[in-house]
């Protein structure tokens, strides 16, 4: 899997940020509080959604009503775009989930997207728990 691009909207310290990653290895470096962990949490959220016990407030920017992550990856030459969003109500919940494979977008349920990602990455189903 190669991560090509990540777009963060209202994710932690990022209001709107698009990061394109070059071929090869990438090192995230910066001062404390510069947003390195936010990028990694955005990638994790895009791939797997909120983890058990994880609150949406740990990802959604303080004061924002909604936020989203778009992750563009390449797996063996196949372009895949994963999108997830959060919205603030009484609690912060996952809202929209979609996956685009070879230009075909499907809006699907939170758990279905996680299952699709695990299958695409050849991870065992137990990782979904």
């Amino acid at each position: 899997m190669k991560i090509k691009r990540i777009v963060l909207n209202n994710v932690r310290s990022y209001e709107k940020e698009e990061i394109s990653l070059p071929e090869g290895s990438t090192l995230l470096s910066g001062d404390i509080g510069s947003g390195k962990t936010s990028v990694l949490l955005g990638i994790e959220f895009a791939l797997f959604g909120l983890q058990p016990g994880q609150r949406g407030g740990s990802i959604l920017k303080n004061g924002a009503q909604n936020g989203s992550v778009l992750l563009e990856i390449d797996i063996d030459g196949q372009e895949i775009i994963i999108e997830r969003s959060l919205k603030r109500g009484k609690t912060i919940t996952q809202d929209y989930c979609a996956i685009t494979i070879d230009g075909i977008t499907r809006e699907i349920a939170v758990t279905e997207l996680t299952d699709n990602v695990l299958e695409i990455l050849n991870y065992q189903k137990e990782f979904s728990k």
Side-chain angles (χ1 to χ4, degrees):
M1 176 179 83
K2 292 185 243 177
I3 298 174
K4 297 173 72 174
R5 180 172 66 113
I6 182 167
V7 179
L8 305 170
N9 291 301
N10 291 325
V11 172
R12 293 175 49 115
S13 58
Y14 292 105
E15 187 173 322
K16 171 91 171 134
E17 188 68 38
E18 181 172 336
I19 302 164
S20 295
L21 300 173
E23 287 288 324
S25 299
T26 299
L27 171 69
L28 297 177
S29 68
D31 292 335
I32 294 172
S34 63
K36 303 176 297 292
T37 300
S38 297
V39 172
L40 296 175
L41 285 173
I43 292 169
E44 178 187 43
F45 174 66
L47 291 172
F48 307 114
L50 292 174
Q51 299 303 297
Q54 182 182 32
R55 294 185 173 164
S58 67
I59 296 179
L60 186 62
K61 183 177 181 70
N62 287 337
Q65 294 303 304
N66 52 53
S68 64
V69 177
L70 179 145
L71 183 68
E72 182 180 339
I73 59 176
D74 181 288
I75 298 178
D76 298 326
Q78 185 176 49
E79 183 179 296
I80 299 168
I81 298 172
I82 300 165
E83 300 174 79
R84 289 190 194 255
S85 67
L86 295 165
K87 69 176 179 180
R88 185 182 307 272
K90 290 183 180 183
T91 61
I92 298 170
T93 57
Q94 293 184 67
D95 187 26
Y96 172 81
C97 294
I99 188 165
T100 303
I101 301 174
D102 294 330
I104 300 169
T105 301
R106 293 184 307 130
E107 184 176 344
I108 56 181
V110 171
T111 54
E112 188 179 357
L113 179 54
T114 301
D115 289 345
N116 275 234
V117 168
L118 291 172
E119 184 178 317
I120 289 166
L121 297 176
N122 289 319
Y123 280 18
Q124 296 177 2
K125 186 94 168 161
E126 296 85 53
F127 284 110
S128 67
K129 297 178 172 120

